[in-house]
Amino acid sequence: MQDNATEVTAAGIARMAGVGRAAVSNWRRRHADFPRPVGGTETSPSFALAEVESWLRKQGKLAEVPLRERVWQQLSGHPDGPVTALTHAGCVLLLIHDRPPVWLELGAGSDERLAEMLPGALREVFTPRFGPESAQPVPQAVNTPGPAPAPAADPPTAVNAVHGPSPASPRPAVHTPTSTELLPSVPLLRGVAELAAELGARQTFEFLLGRHLDANPRQYTLTPADLAGLMADLAGPARTVLDPACGTGALLRAAATRPDQKLHAQDSAPELAALTTLRLALHTWSTVRGATGDTLRADAHPQLRADAVLCHPPFNERNWGHDELAYDPRWEYGFPARTESELAWVQHALARLKDGGAGVLLMPPAAASRRSGRRIRADLLRRGALRAVIALPVGAAPPYNIPLHLWVLRRPEKAPAQPEVLLVDVGQFAGEGRGGPDWRAVREAVLDAWQAFGRPGRFTERPGLARALPVIELLDDDVDLAPARHLPPPAAADGGEQLTSVRELLGETLRLTAGLTPPRADTAHPARWPLTTIGELARGGALMLRTGGNGGHARVPVLTDHDVLSGTGPSGTLPESDEEAVLTAPGDVVVPVLGGGSVARVIDTTTAGAALGRNLVLLRPDPAAVDAWFLAGFLRGTANNRQASSYASTATRLDVRRLQLPRLPLDEQRRYGQRFRTLDEFERALRHAGRLGEQLVRGMYDGLTDGTVAPD
């Protein structure tokens, strides 16, 4: 059954038909029978999915909407919104995951019977998975407008079945939806079940959730999977794990699973808490206790004493509860200032740990040095609660422009006799491009230092990387914990020996560059070749054109537009997705479409196998028809790029299909291609020489200023 209420945007229609947005606009102008808008705005209209699907099929532009796309369009166009639709889908997927025969029996009936019987079946699954409170419908009082009353001293953990909780009180994240709420979702739920039969219940939810997150990037702050894995490893194996600001659940998903594990989650956003709780239940057979509510004002787990707390708290919040929580018993190490919300989260984590339990929090670097927090930092150090501060590279997590810190906590069982704190700075492992840091190097350096710090005996200092510092050395007027301010400079990078090696390598590169310098150019009359376009070649089968941006299932290096522009290796990452990644192969030509530059890169054996990143187009020429170097060389012509570019108010976009090539015999193409290949080698040698020159100059400045290099 197709849901007539489901709406789809022009972008969705383009995805369904495998065309660009411009083609959909042309169809609307040229075809009088194209479906009329049923919603949206004048500039961004929406259309009935059933009408669009019927029209596309009638026009021969679509044989059948792919199942994944149909389910996604039903979800994104749901009359109650995509979040409600995704939550209902998650509930049914959990039922399919835990009790598939029950779903098969329910799904065989009518839509009305399915909606009527589904709540009872869901209660049977929710009660053992999420606790008895989840079996109740959503309390109506939750949506009551008006300011939240002050929370009770001991916030309730159960829902008041008569009046419901106050808006500030915590409540279970997942509730059993009613038959009335489920009925509009039944067509979607049948499609979701069909997709689950193809992909599996967990993979289906991950696909739909991933599409939702990608479609709303500004609404959610994500914790990258590599960072989440590092934080979980620092905390160590744990039976009971809490994330008091769970977001999309990345940290709890990274925690090593074990049969008797219990996961506790809370988030102030009800929809996020519900989606994360369902996601965790599909990810593991562990007990999941998810809750909705403002953690600092209304803690859902006040009696919990966890083995580990993992947290990526909100940063720089002024309205975190400073006025209401002055006498809260969690402030064992001092009452945080209004500007120190992160230190409130640190103390909340310590309060929910059992003695000896570990906590790992992602923190802004300012929290390590702000004067308003120095007394709390000092007490955390004195009592041995703060065990390590780790400075991450730029780009590790949002906001990507600053080097965030990890704070590793341990709830002290007794005051240490001579406390030390581990300071680590792995900023040197920042990636060259915009694809993030070298996570393998970061992980190895951090875990190696942390494990060495935990072993008996004196910690061996690692210049520029890690140092175990007696707490007494930090207890001055500032109590500044920024690792870079306390680590000795790395000796190997500043010594005259290494600078001599760099200088010799620079000399060799400059000699190579001189040998590659193009010969004197002879003047010739402008050629009058017959021209063709990339679009015509693609239609004729002389080359294949693909666009990047999907991560696929396997995690492989990603070639970004910055890598292409700078001539460096693949440095990016993309989130995993069920849509196939475009993998490069030797002889492919990759072209960036943003920025207005005349750039094209021929893929060699060292770059082959990387996934194609966003804002890149891949051209795969047929070697019997088009020479790759000839193609790349002519695509770099300035005039060629100018005529194929369009201009917006803030950016230039290249229409690759409009780029032109001369029609030449293959032998003549290869003659030009060889000259273009030589120019490319010269360009790469110049870039390498420039990087070596910068390294030599920076090393000389550093060596002269810190005394490791003599002035004469």
Side-chain angles (χ1 to χ4, degrees):
M1 174 182 171
Q2 178 66 56
D3 181 9
N4 291 323
T6 300
E7 298 177 12
V8 60
T9 64
I13 297 172
R15 264 199 311 270
M16 291 163 58
V19 298
R21 286 280 302 274
V24 178
S25 299
N26 287 336
W27 293 342
R28 291 186 63 195
R29 286 194 300 268
R30 290 168 45 202
H31 297 277
D33 62 338
F34 191 88
R36 300 295 181 190
V38 296
T41 65
E42 186 176 343
T43 56
S44 181
S46 58
F47 308 83
L49 177 60
E51 295 178 9
V52 168
E53 184 177 349
S54 174
W55 186 88
L56 289 173
R57 191 175 291 110
K58 185 173 66 175
Q59 293 290 325
K61 302 181 185 300
L62 182 69
E64 184 61 49
V65 177
L67 178 59
R68 295 184 190 188
E69 193 61 39
R70 186 171 78 244
V71 171
W72 168 248
Q73 294 300 341
Q74 287 179 312
L75 187 147
S76 60
H78 192 282
D80 294 328
V83 173
T84 297
L86 189 53
T87 304
H88 290 174
C91 292
V92 165
L93 286 168
L94 185 59
L95 175 64
I96 294 171
H97 179 268
D98 285 11
R99 303 187 180 186
V102 175
W103 168 259
L104 291 175
E105 194 275 327
L106 293 179
S110 66
D111 289 359
E112 290 73 16
R113 179 179 180 274
L114 176 58
E116 181 182 352
M117 302 296 292
L118 200 50
L122 292 176
R123 277 192 289 270
E124 295 296 317
V125 174
F126 288 180
T127 299
R129 285 299 213 119
F130 306 136
E133 299 89 352
S134 63
Q136 304 299 320
V138 179
Q140 295 302 310
V142 169
N143 297 322
T144 303
D154 186 9
T157 56
V159 173
N160 184 315
V162 179
H163 301 293
S166 71
S169 301
R171 59 186 185 276
V174 177
H175 290 272
T176 305
T178 65
S179 299
T180 303
E181 292 168 340
L182 286 168
L183 187 58
S185 299
V186 168
L188 164 68
L189 300 181
R190 292 190 185 278
V192 165
E194 189 180 349
L195 189 57
E198 179 183 308
L199 301 179
R202 183 180 67 83
Q203 293 83 351
T204 297
F205 190 72
E206 288 296 318
F207 163 69
L208 295 173
L209 178 62
R211 286 284 289 265
H212 176 67
L213 296 176
D214 287 344
N216 302 276
R218 297 184 180 181
Q219 292 184 22
Y220 306 101
T221 300
L222 306 181
T223 306
D226 291 302
L227 175 58
L230 175 60
M231 293 173 67
D233 287 341
L234 287 168
R239 179 175 176 272
T240 306
V241 189
L242 167 68
D243 185 347
C246 63
T248 59
L251 293 175
L252 290 175
R253 288 181 73 219
T257 57
R258 43 189 289 179
D260 59 345
Q261 194 172 52
K262 294 183 178 179
L263 303 178
H264 297 261
Q266 183 169 353
D267 201 276
S268 59
E271 69 280 359
L272 207 50
L275 295 176
T276 294
T277 302
L278 291 166
R279 186 184 198 188
L280 293 171
L282 285 163
H283 177 71
T284 174
W285 288 100
S286 303
T287 300
V288 181
R289 292 292 183 265
T292 294
D294 184 328
T295 296
L296 295 181
R297 288 187 173 91
D299 182 13
H301 311 287
Q303 308 305 320
L304 179 65
R305 295 298 176 264
D307 297 305
V309 174
L310 302 171
C311 187
H312 177 175
F315 296 161
N316 303 319
E317 280 200 337
R318 294 297 184 101
N319 185 27
W320 58 267
H322 178 271
D323 295 337
E324 306 101 298
L325 302 174
Y327 301 104
D328 195 288
R330 288 173 290 183
W331 316 140
E332 294 181 52
Y333 303 88
F335 181 43
R338 189 183 302 277
T339 56
E340 294 289 351
S341 62
E342 296 86 6
L343 293 182
W345 286 97
V346 165
Q347 295 191 76
H348 174 81
L350 286 165
R352 295 296 161 263
L353 286 170
K354 70 177 186 181
D355 289 347
V360 184
L361 277 76
L362 185 66
M363 302 283 281
S369 55
R370 280 190 298 242
R371 288 188 61 81
S372 54
R374 65 189 186 279
R375 292 183 181 177
I376 295 177
R377 292 196 298 271
D379 208 30
L380 290 168
L381 291 172
R382 286 192 198 96
R383 296 169 60 179
L386 180 57
R387 304 294 292 134
V389 177
I390 300 163
L392 297 169
V394 171
Y400 291 107
N401 60 328
I402 59 174
L404 300 175
H405 289 179
L406 291 178
W407 285 24
V408 184
L409 312 171
R410 186 85 66 188
R411 183 167 179 84
E413 299 178 79
K414 60 180 181 178
Q418 293 180 322
E420 288 188 329
V421 63
L422 176 67
L423 301 178
V424 180
D425 188 344
V426 287
Q428 61 186 289
F429 301 119
E432 289 186 12
R434 293 174 291 179
D438 181 349
W439 278 111
R440 178 178 295 179
V442 169
R443 180 186 179 85
E444 289 177 357
V446 169
L447 293 180
D448 186 49
W450 174 244
Q451 291 161 5
F453 180 66
R455 290 193 286 266
R458 186 171 182 81
F459 180 85
T460 302
E461 186 176 282
R462 301 163 193 198
L465 184 64
R467 181 184 184 189
L469 204 62
V471 163
I472 192 67
E473 295 187 24
L474 294 169
L475 298 179
D476 53 15
D477 288 341
D478 295 323
V479 196
D480 190 334
L481 307 182
R485 297 193 177 119
H486 303 284
L487 295 177
D494 295 335
E497 231 177 272
Q498 182 171 349
L499 292 178
T500 300
S501 174
V502 172
R503 185 178 183 278
E504 291 173 355
L505 186 56
L506 175 60
E508 293 174 12
T509 305
L510 289 174
R511 286 190 289 274
L512 173 64
T513 305
L516 292 171
T517 302
R520 183 175 64 86
D522 295 327
T523 302
H525 294 291
R528 299 295 182 186
W529 296 301
L531 298 176
T532 185
T533 65
I534 294 297
E536 290 173 353
L537 291 173
R539 287 191 293 273
L543 57 80
M544 183 175 65
L545 187 149
R546 302 286 301 276
T547 57
N550 295 316
H553 291 287
R555 296 190 67 84
V556 297
V558 175
L559 188 70
T560 68
D561 53 349
H562 184 275
D563 299 330
V564 175
L565 293 168
S566 61
T568 55
S571 66
T573 58
L574 285 170
E576 291 186 32
S577 70
D578 288 315
E579 299 182 35
E580 283 297 317
V582 177
L583 301 182
T584 58
D588 290 345
V589 177
V590 177
V591 183
V593 297
L594 293 182
S598 303
V599 178
R601 177 171 175 177
V602 179
I603 300 299
D604 56 20
T605 54
T606 61
T607 313
L612 195 67
R614 296 185 178 93
N615 302 320
L616 290 175
V617 170
L618 179 143
L619 305 175
R620 182 165 292 166
D622 179 354
V626 180
D627 180 78
W629 284 101
F630 164 80
L631 172 64
F634 273 94
L635 294 188
R636 293 192 61 172
T638 302
N640 199 4
N641 274 260
R642 187 180 298 124
Q643 65 84 27
S645 296
S646 58
Y647 304 93
S649 58
T650 58
T652 303
R653 186 172 187 88
L654 183 69
D655 184 351
V656 175
R657 290 178 178 274
R658 291 171 54 191
L659 288 168
Q660 297 176 336
L661 286 179
R663 296 181 182 271
L664 296 178
L666 192 57
D667 288 343
E668 188 71 1
Q669 290 183 33
R670 288 172 178 156
R671 197 164 69 89
Y672 274 95
Q674 185 57 46
R675 186 65 181 271
F676 287 136
R677 184 197 290 262
T678 304
L679 278 175
D680 181 76
E681 292 174 358
F682 176 62
E683 183 179 37
R684 282 190 282 118
L686 283 175
R687 282 178 173 154
H688 187 48
R691 283 194 285 266
L692 288 171
E694 289 176 2
Q695 185 180 349
L696 179 61
V697 170
R698 173 47 52 199
M700 289 295 295
Y701 271 110
D702 290 345
L704 288 166
T705 54
D706 64 22
T708 58
V709 172
D712 51 356

